[in-house]
Amino acid sequence: LEPGQIASLLQGKGLRVTPQRVAVMGVLSRRREHLSAEEVFEQVRQELPNISLATVYKALGELRRKGQIRALPVLGRLRFDLTSNPAHHHLVCEGCQRVVDVELGTLRWPEMPPEALMGFDILSVEVILRSICPDCREPSTRQPASNNLQEGAKL
Amino acid sequence: LEPGQIASLLQGKGLRVTPQRVAVMGVLSRRREHLSAEEVFEQVRQELPNISLATVYKALGELRRKGQIRALPVLGRLRFDLTSNPAHHHLVCEGCQRVVDVELGTLRWPEMPPEALMGFDILSVEVILRSICPDCREPSTRQPASNNLQEGAKL
DNA sequence: ATGACTGCAAATACTTTGCACATGT
DNA sequence: ACATGTGCAAAGTATTTGCAGTCAT
């Protein structure tokens, strides 16, 4: 997204166009994965060295409330992406908590009874496939995969 | 679940059968919704007044690692349920963060390419429908719904 | 001009950990 | 017996808040 487009989005939502917010949106639009607040902070910092983490949190919160971004809780922390980004889903291992992104193509709902949605407007569908990865399936054979959370693995 | 059944499950997983763990499993088996650690603690406390929150966390962690329960991050906190419970899904409002449980019937995937799953065994599918609820759709008209997180709504 | 926004630091919420003691097998 | 599990208190990590000063409109 271009700064200009971002500015329009912000104004359209009645938010002031500050360099901090433009930078946050910019970072999210350039990265395809969901970023944690800390990661957004690190990225934004490169263009705005003085920005504070609290400001990033405030910007993310404001943007989420206005429907521009989504907050997805993964592994005890929130990860963000643009509402407009192409959908992708998460395969998470209940054993080692490893998270893998998966493209499941266009998900269509076999039968999603509108009355069950209680008048909510669906913005996006996040699918979390809870699973056991090959490494964790055989506890005896289990090898410390490089990016696994080991033993003292967090809840 | 009966204490006896729980004991078998624990033993089958090589875990010691302690009153604390039995109680935690018992609580989860009696409640259909996902409970937060704090909620599990409050419940278990009624039978075991001396149990500590840390023990509940440890039990939940152990049980999750053994595949008996699932941990689902919702609104910045983990919520737990038995792996064996019937699936239900979450409709969450991105405006006020209200969460509503929805029964979408048996969800079938149009095409879930096995190769995309990288050898993971799927335990369950958690679907989060991100949406805007009727109350938040019209910001001007927005009324403080009883169980909404308002204004200073958490991220 | 003025209300919205930022940055800082301090506060809060949730979860994890270290360790001495207790308990299940 | 002895590894495992418990309870307590203390430490972490992630996120939020209060407030004085700053900036977008």
Side-chain angles (χ1 to χ4, degrees), chain B residues 11 16-17 19 37 53-54 57-58 77-78 154:
Chain B
Q11 287 178 318
R16 290 187 178 172
V17 182
L53 181 55
Y57 272 106
K58 285 169 184 167
R77 56 164 76 181
L78 295 171
K154 299 192 163 209

Side-chain angles (χ1 to χ4, degrees), chain B residues 53-134:
Chain B
L53 181 55
T55 297
V56 170
Y57 272 106
K58 285 169 184 167
L60 291 170
E62 226 29 74
L63 289 167
R64 190 189 56 59
R65 276 187 276 282
K66 298 300 184 187
Q68 297 307 294
I69 66 178
R70 295 179 297 177
L72 164 77
V74 176
L75 284 175
R77 56 164 76 181
L78 295 171
R79 314 195 121 253
F80 305 86
D81 71 346
L82 293 190
T83 306
S84 54
N85 273 0
H88 65 274
H89 304 290
H90 294 227
L91 186 54
V92 8
C93 174
E94 291 288 306
C96 61
Q97 287 285 20
R98 180 150 56 122
V99 179
V100 176
D101 279 9
V102 280
E103 274 300 343
L104 290 178
T106 346
L107 286 173
R108 285 171 293 92
W109 302 112
E111 56 264 26
M112 185 139 76
E115 67 277 13
L117 302 181
M118 316 179 69
F120 284 48
D121 289 334
I122 304 300
L123 294 175
S124 66
V125 179
E126 166 69 29
V127 178
I128 301 178
L129 299 164
R130 309 217 170 248
S131 54
I132 297 294
C133 75

Side-chain angles (χ1 to χ4, degrees), chain A residues 40-41 92 100 106 113-114 137 152:
Chain A
V40 172
F41 176 54
V92 7
V100 176
T106 346
R137 187 161 35 223

Side-chain angles (χ1 to χ4, degrees), chain B residues 2 15 35 58 68 78 110 112 124 127 135 142 146-147 152-153:
Chain B
E2 293 302 313
L15 296 174
L35 298 176
K58 285 169 184 167
Q68 297 307 294
L78 295 171
M112 185 139 76
S124 66
V127 178
D135 291 341
R142 186 168 161 196
S146 53
N147 64 344

Side-chain angles (χ1 to χ4, degrees), chain B residues 7-68:
Chain B
S8 310
L9 283 174
L10 292 174
Q11 287 178 318
K13 294 297 175 178
L15 296 174
R16 290 187 178 172
V17 182
T18 66
Q20 291 85 342
R21 285 169 179 173
V22 173
V24 166
M25 286 286 279
V27 164
L28 290 178
S29 73
R30 279 192 289 285
R31 306 294 225 87
R32 193 192 175 206
E33 332 86 84
H34 292 204
L35 298 176
S36 66
E38 192 82 35
E39 287 164 342
V40 172
F41 177 55
E42 290 307 333
Q43 296 295 313
V44 173
R45 223 176 193 188
Q46 293 175 19
E47 4 175 351
L48 300 174
N50 287 328
I51 196 174
S52 74
L53 181 55
T55 297
V56 170
Y57 272 106
K58 285 169 184 167
L60 291 170
E62 226 29 74
L63 289 167
R64 190 189 56 59
R65 276 187 276 282
K66 298 300 184 187
Q68 297 307 294

